[in-house]
PDB file of all heavy atoms in Angstrom:
ATOM      1  N   GLY K   3      71.203  79.538 140.083  1.00 50.00           N
ATOM      2  CA  GLY K   3      72.080  79.382 138.934  1.00 50.00           C
ATOM      3  C   GLY K   3      73.163  80.419 138.819  1.00 50.00           C
ATOM      4  O   GLY K   3      74.312  80.096 138.541  1.00 50.00           O
ATOM      5  N   SER K   4      72.827  81.713 139.030  1.00 53.00           N
ATOM      6  CA  SER K   4      73.834  82.758 138.827  1.00 53.00           C
ATOM      7  C   SER K   4      74.979  82.625 139.819  1.00 53.00           C
ATOM      8  O   SER K   4      76.150  82.825 139.464  1.00 53.00           O
ATOM      9  CB  SER K   4      73.186  84.142 138.953  1.00 53.00           C
ATOM     10  OG  SER K   4      72.652  84.341 140.249  1.00 53.00           O
ATOM     11  N   THR K   5      74.665  82.279 141.066  1.00 71.00           N
ATOM     12  CA  THR K   5      75.715  82.116 142.078  1.00 71.00           C
ATOM     13  C   THR K   5      76.613  80.946 141.718  1.00 71.00           C
ATOM     14  O   THR K   5      77.837  81.021 141.834  1.00 71.00           O
ATOM     15  CB  THR K   5      75.090  81.898 143.471  1.00 71.00           C
ATOM     16  OG1 THR K   5      74.242  82.999 143.749  1.00 71.00           O
ATOM     17  CG2 THR K   5      76.160  81.814 144.533  1.00 71.00           C
ATOM     18  N   ARG K   6      76.022  79.844 141.288  1.00 76.00           N
ATOM     19  CA  ARG K   6      76.805  78.678 140.889  1.00 76.00           C
ATOM     20  C   ARG K   6      77.729  79.002 139.727  1.00 76.00           C
ATOM     21  O   ARG K   6      78.880  78.573 139.691  1.00 76.00           O
ATOM     22  CB  ARG K   6      75.864  77.525 140.513  1.00 76.00           C
ATOM     23  CG  ARG K   6      75.060  76.986 141.684  1.00 76.00           C
ATOM     24  CD  ARG K   6      73.995  76.009 141.209  1.00 76.00           C
ATOM     25  NE  ARG K   6      73.125  75.616 142.308  1.00 76.00           N
ATOM     26  CZ  ARG K   6      71.977  74.982 142.172  1.00 76.00           C
ATOM     27  NH1 ARG K   6      71.554  74.670 140.968  1.00 76.00           N
ATOM     28  NH2 ARG K   6      71.256  74.650 143.215  1.00 76.00           N
ATOM     29  N   GLU K   7      77.209  79.766 138.774  1.00 84.00           N
ATOM     30  CA  GLU K   7      78.031  80.137 137.618  1.00 84.00           C
ATOM     31  C   GLU K   7      79.207  81.006 138.042  1.00 84.00           C
ATOM     32  O   GLU K   7      80.320  80.854 137.510  1.00 84.00           O
ATOM     33  CB  GLU K   7      77.161  80.860 136.591  1.00 84.00           C
ATOM     34  CG  GLU K   7      76.152  79.942 135.901  1.00 84.00           C
ATOM     35  CD  GLU K   7      75.116  80.713 135.109  1.00 84.00           C
ATOM     36  OE1 GLU K   7      75.270  81.949 134.993  1.00 84.00           O
ATOM     37  OE2 GLU K   7      74.159  80.087 134.620  1.00 84.00           O
ATOM     38  N   ARG K   8      78.983  81.922 138.990  1.00 88.00           N
ATOM     39  CA  ARG K   8      80.094  82.759 139.460  1.00 88.00           C
ATOM     40  C   ARG K   8      81.146  81.915 140.172  1.00 88.00           C
ATOM     41  O   ARG K   8      82.351  82.156 140.015  1.00 88.00           O
ATOM     42  CB  ARG K   8      79.561  83.857 140.397  1.00 88.00           C
ATOM     43  CG  ARG K   8      78.768  84.939 139.706  1.00 88.00           C
ATOM     44  CD  ARG K   8      78.636  86.186 140.582  1.00 88.00           C
ATOM     45  NE  ARG K   8      77.968  85.907 141.842  1.00 88.00           N
ATOM     46  CZ  ARG K   8      76.655  85.996 142.025  1.00 88.00           C
ATOM     47  NH1 ARG K   8      75.874  86.321 141.008  1.00 88.00           N
ATOM     48  NH2 ARG K   8      76.121  85.744 143.208  1.00 88.00           N
ATOM     49  N   THR K   9      80.693  80.944 140.960  1.00 89.00           N
ATOM     50  CA  THR K   9      81.651  80.061 141.629  1.00 89.00           C
ATOM     51  C   THR K   9      82.472  79.303 140.608  1.00 89.00           C
ATOM     52  O   THR K   9      83.708  79.240 140.705  1.00 89.00           O
ATOM     53  CB  THR K   9      80.902  79.068 142.547  1.00 89.00           C
ATOM     54  OG1 THR K   9      80.198  79.789 143.544  1.00 89.00           O
ATOM     55  CG2 THR K   9      81.883  78.105 143.217  1.00 89.00           C
ATOM     56  N   HIS K  10      81.791  78.714 139.629  1.00 87.00           N
ATOM     57  CA  HIS K  10      82.492  77.926 138.617  1.00 87.00           C
ATOM     58  C   HIS K  10      83.477  78.798 137.841  1.00 87.00           C
ATOM     59  O   HIS K  10      84.613  78.384 137.578  1.00 87.00           O
ATOM     60  CB  HIS K  10      81.476  77.295 137.659  1.00 87.00           C
ATOM     61  CG  HIS K  10      82.038  76.174 136.845  1.00 87.00           C
ATOM     62  ND1 HIS K  10      81.983  74.861 137.224  1.00 87.00           N
ATOM     63  CD2 HIS K  10      82.707  76.180 135.663  1.00 87.00           C
ATOM     64  CE1 HIS K  10      82.569  74.095 136.320  1.00 87.00           C
ATOM     65  NE2 HIS K  10      83.011  74.882 135.355  1.00 87.00           N
ATOM     66  N   ALA K  11      83.069  80.011 137.492  1.00 91.00           N
ATOM     67  CA  ALA K  11      83.951  80.907 136.741  1.00 91.00           C
ATOM     68  C   ALA K  11      85.175  81.280 137.559  1.00 91.00           C
ATOM     69  O   ALA K  11      86.305  81.333 137.030  1.00 91.00           O
ATOM     70  CB  ALA K  11      83.188  82.165 136.324  1.00 91.00           C
ATOM     71  N   THR K  12      84.980  81.534 138.857  1.00 93.00           N
ATOM     72  CA  THR K  12      86.111  81.886 139.721  1.00 93.00           C
ATOM     73  C   THR K  12      87.078  80.717 139.848  1.00 93.00           C
ATOM     74  O   THR K  12      88.305  80.882 139.746  1.00 93.00           O
ATOM     75  CB  THR K  12      85.607  82.311 141.113  1.00 93.00           C
ATOM     76  OG1 THR K  12      84.728  83.435 140.972  1.00 93.00           O
ATOM     77  CG2 THR K  12      86.770  82.686 142.021  1.00 93.00           C
ATOM     78  N   VAL K  13      86.536  79.519 140.056  1.00 94.00           N
ATOM     79  CA  VAL K  13      87.381  78.334 140.193  1.00 94.00           C
ATOM     80  C   VAL K  13      88.147  78.075 138.899  1.00 94.00           C
ATOM     81  O   VAL K  13      89.351  77.781 138.923  1.00 94.00           O
ATOM     82  CB  VAL K  13      86.525  77.116 140.581  1.00 94.00           C
ATOM     83  CG1 VAL K  13      87.343  75.826 140.480  1.00 94.00           C
ATOM     84  CG2 VAL K  13      85.974  77.270 141.995  1.00 94.00           C
ATOM     85  N   GLU K  14      87.475  78.185 137.769  1.00 93.00           N
ATOM     86  CA  GLU K  14      88.149  77.955 136.488  1.00 93.00           C
ATOM     87  C   GLU K  14      89.276  78.956 136.281  1.00 93.00           C
ATOM     88  O   GLU K  14      90.353  78.590 135.770  1.00 93.00           O
ATOM     89  CB  GLU K  14      87.140  78.050 135.337  1.00 93.00           C
ATOM     90  CG  GLU K  14      86.340  76.794 135.106  1.00 93.00           C
ATOM     91  CD  GLU K  14      85.695  76.778 133.733  1.00 93.00           C
ATOM     92  OE1 GLU K  14      85.257  77.854 133.269  1.00 93.00           O
ATOM     93  OE2 GLU K  14      85.621  75.697 133.133  1.00 93.00           O
ATOM     94  N   ARG K  15      89.060  80.203 136.661  1.00 94.00           N
ATOM     95  CA  ARG K  15      90.105  81.212 136.487  1.00 94.00           C
ATOM     96  C   ARG K  15      91.306  80.904 137.384  1.00 94.00           C
ATOM     97  O   ARG K  15      92.454  81.088 136.976  1.00 94.00           O
ATOM     98  CB  ARG K  15      89.558  82.603 136.782  1.00 94.00           C
ATOM     99  CG  ARG K  15      90.559  83.703 136.501  1.00 94.00           C
ATOM    100  CD  ARG K  15      89.968  85.092 136.646  1.00 94.00           C
ATOM    101  NE  ARG K  15      91.014  86.095 136.550  1.00 94.00           N
ATOM    102  CZ  ARG K  15      90.842  87.392 136.754  1.00 94.00           C
ATOM    103  NH1 ARG K  15      89.623  87.867 137.035  1.00 94.00           N
ATOM    104  NH2 ARG K  15      91.854  88.246 136.664  1.00 94.00           N
ATOM    105  N   ILE K  16      91.040  80.427 138.594  1.00 96.00           N
ATOM    106  CA  ILE K  16      92.142  80.042 139.484  1.00 96.00           C
ATOM    107  C   ILE K  16      92.959  78.916 138.850  1.00 96.00           C
ATOM    108  O   ILE K  16      94.196  78.929 138.880  1.00 96.00           O
ATOM    109  CB  ILE K  16      91.592  79.614 140.859  1.00 96.00           C
ATOM    110  CG1 ILE K  16      91.034  80.826 141.611  1.00 96.00           C
ATOM    111  CG2 ILE K  16      92.678  78.934 141.697  1.00 96.00           C
ATOM    112  CD1 ILE K  16      90.308  80.472 142.890  1.00 96.00           C
ATOM    113  N   VAL K  17      92.271  77.941 138.253  1.00 95.00           N
ATOM    114  CA  VAL K  17      92.967  76.825 137.593  1.00 95.00           C
ATOM    115  C   VAL K  17      93.831  77.329 136.440  1.00 95.00           C
ATOM    116  O   VAL K  17      95.000  76.934 136.286  1.00 95.00           O
ATOM    117  CB  VAL K  17      91.959  75.777 137.085  1.00 95.00           C
ATOM    118  CG1 VAL K  17      92.658  74.741 136.201  1.00 95.00           C
ATOM    119  CG2 VAL K  17      91.270  75.084 138.256  1.00 95.00           C
ATOM    120  N   LYS K  18      93.269  78.228 135.638  1.00 94.00           N
ATOM    121  CA  LYS K  18      93.949  78.654 134.412  1.00 94.00           C
ATOM    122  C   LYS K  18      95.061  79.670 134.659  1.00 94.00           C
ATOM    123  O   LYS K  18      96.071  79.669 133.953  1.00 94.00           O
ATOM    124  CB  LYS K  18      92.929  79.249 133.438  1.00 94.00           C
ATOM    125  CG  LYS K  18      91.939  78.236 132.881  1.00 94.00           C
ATOM    126  CD  LYS K  18      90.902  78.911 131.991  1.00 94.00           C
ATOM    127  CE  LYS K  18      89.896  77.910 131.437  1.00 94.00           C
ATOM    128  NZ  LYS K  18      88.858  78.579 130.624  1.00 94.00           N
ATOM    129  N   GLU K  19      94.881  80.548 135.674  1.00 95.00           N
ATOM    130  CA  GLU K  19      95.781  81.695 135.798  1.00 95.00           C
ATOM    131  C   GLU K  19      96.728  81.625 136.998  1.00 95.00           C
ATOM    132  O   GLU K  19      97.570  82.515 137.145  1.00 95.00           O
ATOM    133  CB  GLU K  19      94.954  82.989 135.880  1.00 95.00           C
ATOM    134  CG  GLU K  19      94.117  83.243 134.636  1.00 95.00           C
ATOM    135  CD  GLU K  19      93.372  84.563 134.692  1.00 95.00           C
ATOM    136  OE1 GLU K  19      93.741  85.417 135.528  1.00 95.00           O
ATOM    137  OE2 GLU K  19      92.424  84.748 133.893  1.00 95.00           O
ATOM    138  N   THR K  20      96.583  80.622 137.843  1.00 95.00           N
ATOM    139  CA  THR K  20      97.457  80.531 139.017  1.00 95.00           C
ATOM    140  C   THR K  20      97.962  79.104 139.181  1.00 95.00           C
ATOM    141  O   THR K  20      97.513  78.190 138.488  1.00 95.00           O
ATOM    142  CB  THR K  20      96.710  80.934 140.314  1.00 95.00           C
ATOM    143  OG1 THR K  20      95.876  79.840 140.748  1.00 95.00           O
ATOM    144  CG2 THR K  20      95.852  82.163 140.114  1.00 95.00           C
ATOM    145  N   ARG K  21      98.860  78.947 140.129  1.00 95.00           N
ATOM    146  CA  ARG K  21      99.337  77.612 140.492  1.00 95.00           C
ATOM    147  C   ARG K  21      98.643  77.086 141.739  1.00 95.00           C
ATOM    148  O   ARG K  21      99.037  76.065 142.287  1.00 95.00           O
ATOM    149  CB  ARG K  21     100.850  77.654 140.725  1.00 95.00           C
ATOM    150  CG  ARG K  21     101.663  78.003 139.476  1.00 95.00           C
ATOM    151  CD  ARG K  21     103.155  77.971 139.762  1.00 95.00           C
ATOM    152  NE  ARG K  21     103.948  78.281 138.588  1.00 95.00           N
ATOM    153  CZ  ARG K  21     105.273  78.309 138.557  1.00 95.00           C
ATOM    154  NH1 ARG K  21     105.953  78.057 139.674  1.00 95.00           N
ATOM    155  NH2 ARG K  21     105.919  78.588 137.437  1.00 95.00           N
ATOM    156  N   LEU K  22      97.635  77.792 142.187  1.00 97.00           N
ATOM    157  CA  LEU K  22      96.921  77.392 143.391  1.00 97.00           C
ATOM    158  C   LEU K  22      96.035  76.176 143.128  1.00 97.00           C
ATOM    159  O   LEU K  22      95.571  75.965 142.008  1.00 97.00           O
ATOM    160  CB  LEU K  22      96.051  78.553 143.886  1.00 97.00           C
ATOM    161  CG  LEU K  22      96.787  79.820 144.289  1.00 97.00           C
ATOM    162  CD1 LEU K  22      95.792  80.957 144.520  1.00 97.00           C
ATOM    163  CD2 LEU K  22      97.618  79.578 145.551  1.00 97.00           C
ATOM    164  N   ALA K  23      95.785  75.406 144.172  1.00 97.00           N
ATOM    165  CA  ALA K  23      94.876  74.266 144.093  1.00 97.00           C
ATOM    166  C   ALA K  23      93.508  74.707 144.589  1.00 97.00           C
ATOM    167  O   ALA K  23      93.338  74.947 145.787  1.00 97.00           O
ATOM    168  CB  ALA K  23      95.404  73.110 144.939  1.00 97.00           C
ATOM    169  N   PRO K  24      92.525  74.838 143.700  1.00 97.00           N
ATOM    170  CA  PRO K  24      91.216  75.306 144.149  1.00 97.00           C
ATOM    171  C   PRO K  24      90.366  74.174 144.711  1.00 97.00           C
ATOM    172  O   PRO K  24      90.435  73.027 144.246  1.00 97.00           O
ATOM    173  CB  PRO K  24      90.596  75.862 142.867  1.00 97.00           C
ATOM    174  CG  PRO K  24      91.194  75.016 141.783  1.00 97.00           C
ATOM    175  CD  PRO K  24      92.588  74.668 142.233  1.00 97.00           C
ATOM    176  N   ALA K  25      89.575  74.500 145.705  1.00 97.00           N
ATOM    177  CA  ALA K  25      88.574  73.584 146.251  1.00 97.00           C
ATOM    178  C   ALA K  25      87.219  74.256 146.065  1.00 97.00           C
ATOM    179  O   ALA K  25      86.957  75.312 146.646  1.00 97.00           O
ATOM    180  CB  ALA K  25      88.840  73.298 147.727  1.00 97.00           C
ATOM    181  N   ALA K  26      86.377  73.670 145.250  1.00 95.00           N
ATOM    182  CA  ALA K  26      85.083  74.268 144.936  1.00 95.00           C
ATOM    183  C   ALA K  26      84.037  73.814 145.943  1.00 95.00           C
ATOM    184  O   ALA K  26      83.873  72.623 146.183  1.00 95.00           O
ATOM    185  CB  ALA K  26      84.655  73.862 143.530  1.00 95.00           C
ATOM    186  N   HIS K  27      83.341  74.774 146.548  1.00 94.00           N
ATOM    187  CA  HIS K  27      82.225  74.427 147.428  1.00 94.00           C
ATOM    188  C   HIS K  27      81.066  73.902 146.577  1.00 94.00           C
ATOM    189  O   HIS K  27      80.841  74.348 145.457  1.00 94.00           O
ATOM    190  CB  HIS K  27      81.752  75.650 148.205  1.00 94.00           C
ATOM    191  CG  HIS K  27      82.661  76.044 149.315  1.00 94.00           C
ATOM    192  ND1 HIS K  27      82.192  76.485 150.538  1.00 94.00           N
ATOM    193  CD2 HIS K  27      84.007  76.057 149.419  1.00 94.00           C
ATOM    194  CE1 HIS K  27      83.210  76.761 151.337  1.00 94.00           C
ATOM    195  NE2 HIS K  27      84.325  76.516 150.663  1.00 94.00           N
ATOM    196  N   LEU K  28      80.317  72.962 147.155  1.00 93.00           N
ATOM    197  CA  LEU K  28      79.163  72.398 146.477  1.00 93.00           C
ATOM    198  C   LEU K  28      78.115  72.048 147.524  1.00 93.00           C
ATOM    199  O   LEU K  28      78.442  71.497 148.575  1.00 93.00           O
ATOM    200  CB  LEU K  28      79.564  71.150 145.694  1.00 93.00           C
ATOM    201  CG  LEU K  28      78.496  70.516 144.803  1.00 93.00           C
ATOM    202  CD1 LEU K  28      78.067  71.471 143.689  1.00 93.00           C
ATOM    203  CD2 LEU K  28      79.027  69.217 144.194  1.00 93.00           C
ATOM    204  N   THR K  29      76.850  72.359 147.249  1.00 89.00           N
ATOM    205  CA  THR K  29      75.769  72.076 148.203  1.00 89.00           C
ATOM    206  C   THR K  29      74.671  71.253 147.533  1.00 89.00           C
ATOM    207  O   THR K  29      74.626  71.093 146.313  1.00 89.00           O
ATOM    208  CB  THR K  29      75.138  73.368 148.759  1.00 89.00           C
ATOM    209  OG1 THR K  29      74.310  73.959 147.752  1.00 89.00           O
ATOM    210  CG2 THR K  29      76.203  74.356 149.208  1.00 89.00           C
ATOM    211  N   CYS K  30      73.760  70.766 148.386  1.00 83.00           N
ATOM    212  CA  CYS K  30      72.603  70.000 147.926  1.00 83.00           C
ATOM    213  C   CYS K  30      71.392  70.878 147.639  1.00 83.00           C
ATOM    214  O   CYS K  30      70.363  70.381 147.170  1.00 83.00           O
ATOM    215  CB  CYS K  30      72.174  68.997 149.008  1.00 83.00           C
ATOM    216  SG  CYS K  30      73.435  67.960 149.734  1.00 83.00           S
ATOM    217  N   VAL K  31      71.469  72.143 147.978  1.00 78.00           N
ATOM    218  CA  VAL K  31      70.284  72.998 148.029  1.00 78.00           C
ATOM    219  C   VAL K  31      69.691  73.248 146.638  1.00 78.00           C
ATOM    220  O   VAL K  31      70.412  73.595 145.696  1.00 78.00           O
ATOM    221  CB  VAL K  31      70.629  74.349 148.701  1.00 78.00           C
ATOM    222  CG1 VAL K  31      69.437  75.301 148.640  1.00 78.00           C
ATOM    223  CG2 VAL K  31      71.051  74.129 150.135  1.00 78.00           C
TER     224      VAL K  31
END
């Protein structure tokens, strides 16, 4: 859970604060 939350937080910040197009990694594990 903690790793997933950090990924989501990083991706959300990229969306909100930059013009970059983020690609979020996602696994089945």
Side-chain angles (χ1 to χ4, degrees):
S4 62
T5 303
R6 294 171 187 167
E7 290 168 7
R8 289 197 300 270
T9 298
H10 197 92
T12 301
V13 170
E14 278 198 323
R15 185 174 172 186
I16 290 172
V17 171
K18 292 176 180 177
E19 298 184 17
T20 78
R21 296 182 179 181
L22 298 170
H27 285 219
L28 186 63
T29 75
C30 311
V31 175

